[in-house]
Amino acid sequence: MELFAVVSVASLILGIVAMWLTCKKRSVVGNYPKDTIVLHQIRRGPYAPSISPFCVKLETYLRMSKLKYQHVYSTQMSLKGKVPWIELNGQEIADSEFCIEFLNKKQLHPSTMVRRCAVVSGVLHYEVYFVPDDVLWSAVCYVMRFNFVPDYVPWCLVLYRWVFRVNEAWLEEARIPVLFRWYVSRFARRQTWSQGHGRHSQAEVDRILQSDLQAISEFLGTKPFLLGREPSQVDCAVFGQLSQFKWNMHGCLANTLVTETFPNLSAYCERMKERYWPDWDEHTLMGRKQDK
Ligand SMILES: N[C@@H](CCC(=O)N[C@@H](CS)C(=O)NCC(=O)O)C(=O)O
C-alpha cells in the first residue's frame, strides 16, 4: 500500500514535470535594442558549444556572416516548439533554416559581406558566404540543407544519445538532470518511432549512419569546404551535425566514423572550428572548466 502511494505520487510529479516541459512552448519576445539579433538556444554543451546540432549550425552561420547577436540560453522553445530560434525587432523566427533565410533577405551583413568578390588592398577577397544561388539550390545542396542533413542524420544522433544511451558519462558532463533524461528518452523513443529510424536495431542504425557519413565524405572529397575553397551556408548545417559526432558523442560508432573512418570529415570540422570558433573552449562546459 505504501509502495503504491509512493509510486502514485512519483508518477504524478513526473507527469506534471513532463506536462510543464511539453507546454513550455510559447516564446516570449523580449525588449531589446533595435536591430539586435537575439539567439535563443539551450545552454552550452560539454565539448561543443551546444548539444543541439541546429544551435551550432545557426550560431556558426551568424559568425560566418559576421552578424552581431546576443544570446539567451533557456529551454524556452519557439512557437513551433523547437530550438534554436531568433528574434529581431520584436519578430520571432523559428527553425534554423528559416532564420538563415530571413537574415539573408534582411541583408544586415556588413557591406563587405554583400559583395561576392572584391579587391581589398590589392588582394582579391572572395566573398565567403554569398555563393551564387544556383549553386546553393543545386540538388545536392538542397538535399544537404533541407533534407538529408537536417531531417535524416539527426535521428541517428537522437537514438544513440537518448534511446541506446551509448554514453551515460556524457549525459553527466552535459549536466542534464536525471529527470530530464528520463523525459527526453521517452519523448525521443516516440519521436524516432514516428519518424522511422526508431524501429531499427542499433546495428541497423550504425549501418545507416555509416552510409550517410560516407556520402558526405565523398561529396567533400579533398575540398576544404563542401562547395570548394571557401565555406558557404551549406557548411553550417553539415558542421552543426558533424560537430556532435566528433566532439559530443564519445564512446560510440558515430564518433569513430568521423574521427577514424572518414578522416576528411574530421579535418573539415577542425577547419570550420578554426575559422569560426577560435574561442571554442570558452563556449564549452569542459573548455571553461579546464581554464579554471
Ligand atoms: N528544423 C529545426 C529542427 C530543430 C530541432 O529539432 N531542435 C531540437 C533540439 S536539437 C528540439 O528543439 N527538439 C524539441 C522537440 O522536438 O520538441 C531547425 O532547423 O531549427
Side-chain angles (χ1 to χ4, degrees):
M1 189 62 196
E2 228 172 69
L3 181 68
F4 178 74
V6 171
V7 170
S8 307
V9 172
S11 312
L12 187 69
I13 294 171
L14 289 176
I16 291 169
V17 172
M19 260 175 59
W20 175 74
L21 285 167
T22 316
C23 296
K24 213 171 167 250
K25 282 190 175 157
R26 276 218 56 84
S27 68
V28 179
V29 174
N31 254 335
Y32 297 96
K34 190 170 180 304
D35 290 340
T36 306
I37 298 168
V38 184
L39 171 62
H40 292 258
Q41 59 173 324
I42 46 177
R43 66 155 185 248
R44 294 305 191 188
Y47 298 101
S50 179
I51 64 168
S52 157
F54 301 99
C55 292
V56 176
K57 166 190 171 181
L58 186 54
E59 197 170 352
T60 304
Y61 163 82
L62 290 167
R63 285 166 171 243
M64 180 183 273
S65 46
K66 299 195 168 81
L67 289 168
K68 290 207 169 42
Y69 58 97
Q70 193 171 318
H71 294 279
V72 172
Y73 300 109
S74 84
T75 50
Q76 184 72 58
M77 301 285 165
S78 71
L79 286 168
K80 293 183 182 170
K82 298 229 179 202
V83 281
W85 55 284
I86 58 165
E87 54 176 300
L88 178 69
N89 300 331
Q91 186 177 353
E92 172 187 331
I93 304 100
D95 193 290
S96 60
E97 203 55 50
F98 286 171
C99 294
I100 292 176
E101 193 182 83
F102 172 85
L103 292 169
N104 285 347
K105 283 201 185 126
K106 283 267 170 208
Q107 298 228 327
L108 295 164
H109 316 86
S111 57
T112 49
M113 299 298 293
V114 181
R115 277 175 269 145
R116 293 224 161 110
C117 165
V119 177
V120 180
S121 315
V123 179
L124 186 62
H125 222 72
Y126 283 96
E127 166 42 53
V128 293
Y129 169 67
F130 283 103
V131 292
D133 279 355
D134 55 337
V135 176
L136 269 184
W137 286 91
S138 70
V140 173
C141 281
Y142 182 85
V143 166
M144 291 250 188
R145 283 167 65 202
F146 295 110
N147 192 281
F148 172 56
V149 172
D151 281 339
Y152 206 73
V153 181
W155 295 110
C156 297
L157 176 74
V158 170
L159 280 165
Y160 287 123
R161 225 174 234 175
W162 300 108
V163 179
F164 305 144
R165 305 276 287 249
V166 292
N167 192 341
E168 291 291 319
W170 179 85
L171 294 173
E172 288 294 323
E173 289 166 342
R175 299 190 200 151
I176 299 170
V178 176
L179 199 59
F180 191 71
R181 287 180 217 173
W182 170 85
Y183 169 75
V184 177
S185 287
R186 278 182 54 117
F187 185 60
R189 227 173 261 279
R190 278 205 309 271
Q191 272 192 322
T192 51
W193 183 264
S194 309
Q195 180 269 341
H197 274 26
R199 296 164 197 241
H200 302 311
S201 67
Q202 187 169 345
E204 286 166 333
V205 173
D206 285 350
R207 254 185 25 229
I208 292 173
L209 185 68
Q210 172 137 12
S211 313
D212 291 351
L213 295 184
Q214 183 168 346
I216 302 174
S217 167
E218 280 173 10
F219 182 75
L220 177 66
T222 54
K223 300 191 292 297
F225 300 100
L226 287 164
L227 297 187
R229 275 182 354 123
E230 294 294 339
S232 68
Q233 78 186 57
V234 187
D235 290 289
C236 300
V238 174
F239 174 66
Q241 191 59 56
L242 295 183
S243 69
Q244 300 305 309
F245 297 143
K246 180 167 162 69
W247 287 289
N248 262 345
M249 287 296 294
H250 300 288
C252 87
L253 181 85
N255 181 259
T256 316
L257 287 174
V258 171
T259 54
E260 291 171 27
T261 318
F262 304 115
N264 66 336
L265 296 184
S266 185
Y268 164 80
C269 287
E270 293 291 352
R271 270 193 296 278
M272 286 293 287
K273 178 182 164 199
E274 200 176 304
R275 189 171 291 213
Y276 298 112
W277 293 90
D279 51 351
W280 182 271
D281 283 348
E282 287 164 39
H283 296 285
T284 64
L285 299 175
M286 290 299 158
R288 276 191 226 149
K289 216 162 131 183
Q290 272 165 20
D291 290 344
K292 280 178 195 150

